[in-house]
Amino acid sequence: MKNRNPYYLLALICLSTLWLNQRCKKQGIDYRLAGGTRGIFEWVSTTTPSHVSTPQSVGYTKQLAVLTDDQGAYVGFYKNDTLQRRIYETSRDTAHTFTDEARNTVLIKYKGDGFINYYLTTDTNGETITVSELLNPYSLSADTTRSVYRRTSKSLYPY
């Protein structure tokens, strides 16, 4: 009888995990997809309806940090490794993160600042993330400026 206990425990853990995964999907959040937005990224290019900018064409670099600290989840915008702006996710709204698994996108609300839509892709050069401008309110028709960033292991001083 003692030999069966580990199997029962394993079965219970598997069933609990399946239930939790289904519960999260019913709430409209794919946490695996949303977790893909976390990290530090270096700027590759920005595309607007009329122009494409790169670090080489503008003469500076940009970085994006999507991390968490003691105040919560945030996104930090850097120019030449210097923090320009930091905004925190809305933590009191239960509906502040929206995932679309079919499009591989995550839309996150940042308090009163607006929404950022993240488009996650993997190419032959590694993982990239395409980011909309901060839009308040967000609409697909207004989402015309997008910046591409590549994941990096670079360290950025948070402040």
Side-chain angles (χ1 to χ4, degrees):
M1 189 70 167
K2 289 184 179 181
N3 291 340
R4 292 186 188 178
N5 286 339
Y7 297 111
Y8 290 126
L9 182 59
L10 180 62
L12 183 61
I13 290 170
C14 289
L15 288 173
S16 298
T17 303
L18 287 171
W19 177 82
L20 183 61
N21 188 31
Q22 288 303 317
R23 178 106 171 110
C24 290
K25 284 188 177 188
K26 285 180 183 176
Q27 293 175 351
I29 300 172
D30 181 344
Y31 288 100
R32 177 192 49 78
L33 184 61
T37 63
R38 301 289 185 236
I40 298 173
F41 302 87
E42 289 186 305
W43 180 51
V44 175
S45 65
T46 297
T47 303
T48 69
S50 62
H51 184 69
V52 175
S53 300
T54 64
Q56 297 79 17
S57 69
V58 296
Y60 57 83
T61 63
K62 294 195 295 186
Q63 298 80 27
L64 180 74
V66 186
L67 302 170
T68 304
D69 66 8
D70 59 344
Q71 295 177 26
Y74 68 89
V75 61
F77 299 94
Y78 292 78
K79 181 178 176 182
N80 291 332
D81 300 328
T82 301
L83 181 64
Q84 301 295 302
R85 184 174 187 190
R86 176 188 250 187
I87 54 175
Y88 284 88
E89 282 186 30
T90 302
S91 59
R92 292 196 176 107
D93 283 348
T94 55
H96 74 279
T97 300
F98 306 91
T99 58
D100 185 340
E101 198 170 346
R103 292 188 178 148
N104 226 27
T105 63
V106 180
L107 179 67
I108 299 177
K109 182 176 183 186
Y110 291 93
K111 296 193 178 180
D113 296 299
F115 293 84
I116 294 178
N117 202 13
Y118 298 89
Y119 304 82
L120 305 171
T121 57
T122 302
D123 59 18
T124 56
N125 295 326
E127 187 177 2
T128 62
I129 188 168
T130 302
V131 180
S132 72
E133 291 293 301
L134 190 61
L135 297 171
N136 196 10
Y138 179 83
S139 73
L140 194 55
S141 61
D143 186 2
T144 59
T145 300
R146 297 187 182 165
S147 296
V148 177
Y149 291 85
R150 185 168 322 288
R151 188 176 295 277
T152 183
S153 58
K154 183 177 191 170
S155 293
L156 293 171
Y157 191 69
Y159 302 100

